[in-house]
Amino acid sequence: DAKTTQPTSMDCAEGRAANLPCNHSTISGNEYVYWYRQIHSQGPQYIIHGLKNNETNEMASLIITEDRKSSTLILPHATLRDTAVYYCIADYGQNFVFGPGTRLSVLP
Amino acid sequence: EAGVTQSPTHLIKTRGQQATLRCSPISGHTSVYWYQQALGLGLQFLLWYDEGEERNRGNFPPRFSGRQFPNYSSELNVNALELEDSALYLCASSSGFPPGQETQYFGPGTRLLVL
């Protein structure tokens, strides 16, 4: 079973920030938080990952709480092309268990 | 840099036949993972290969098997196909380094239809 829980779906207005939450209350100390997204049955696309500290790359920011029991993926300026299913995974490298993810709809 | 490639993109088989799916990892990656995504369902982990060895296996019957070649490409074989094997089969690769951060990069998938 997946170690993470996410809302089933979310809407976001185009141009606004999309904040996608993820709970991983049973995460172990050496397990990373990964985020992927899947657009319309394509292969999942890697977005970002982190352990303790907040991370930022060209796609998104990842905010991890100090107790590491939850995290938030932030897409700073959502576009229509960001409409996808977003998966949060808490794991130690190889053994990825995907949950159902959050279906993000970016609305014009 | 080329990403993970999979072939064929689509495959149609009949019940009882065998299917062979192929995956080429990103250059320099030694680990290959296979996942099954049935229609409307999430990704289910199938197999993990690293350095030519099977390292882990998901909760699938033995008729799902595979191998990894010396060039790190991989093959997934599904024997005695059943209708419920119809799904998108995804391959991912990782460099296996640094430990615990083996980010997996996915290919576009092979869509298998069993009639």
Side-chain angles (χ1 to χ4, degrees), chain A residues 32 34 36 38 41 43-44 46 49 87 92-96 98, chain B residues 33 35 37 43 48 56 88 90 100-104 106-107 111:
Chain A
Y32 283 74
Y34 294 82
Y36 286 80
Q38 189 173 27
S41 292
Y46 165 76
H49 76 284
Y87 298 100
Y92 181 78
Q94 310 93 352
N95 193 32
F96 280 4
F98 284 81
Chain B
Y33 311 81
Y35 294 83
Q37 187 173 32
L43 285 87
W48 167 35
N56 198 9
L88 179 67
L90 292 157
Q101 292 192 66
E102 291 94 339
T103 301
Q104 296 181 25
F106 285 79
R111 190 165 295 282

Side-chain angles (χ1 to χ4, degrees), chain B residues 18-115:
Chain B
Q18 178 196 37
T20 298
L21 289 65
R22 297 179 178 84
C23 172
S24 291
I26 291 171
S27 177
H29 285 190
T30 61
S31 282
V32 170
Y33 311 81
W34 287 95
Y35 294 83
Q36 181 197 67
Q37 187 173 32
L39 188 63
L41 300 179
L43 285 87
Q44 303 292 320
F45 168 73
L46 261 168
L47 290 159
W48 167 35
Y49 291 95
D50 180 62
E51 297 284 358
E53 300 286 333
E54 181 181 303
R55 301 295 186 186
N56 198 9
R57 182 182 183 85
N59 188 26
F60 281 85
R63 57 190 187 83
F64 287 84
S65 65
R67 54 180 172 168
Q68 186 178 33
F69 299 99
N71 66 354
Y72 302 112
S73 66
S74 177
E75 208 172 74
L76 173 69
N77 294 296
V78 187
N79 293 320
L81 284 165
E82 300 179 1
L83 298 179
E84 52 265 33
D85 296 333
S86 295
L88 179 67
Y89 288 84
L90 292 157
C91 171
S93 74
S94 75
S95 65
F97 184 85
Q101 292 192 66
E102 291 94 339
T103 301
Q104 296 181 25
Y105 297 91
F106 285 79
T110 292
R111 190 165 295 282
L112 173 64
L113 177 62
V114 182
L115 302 175

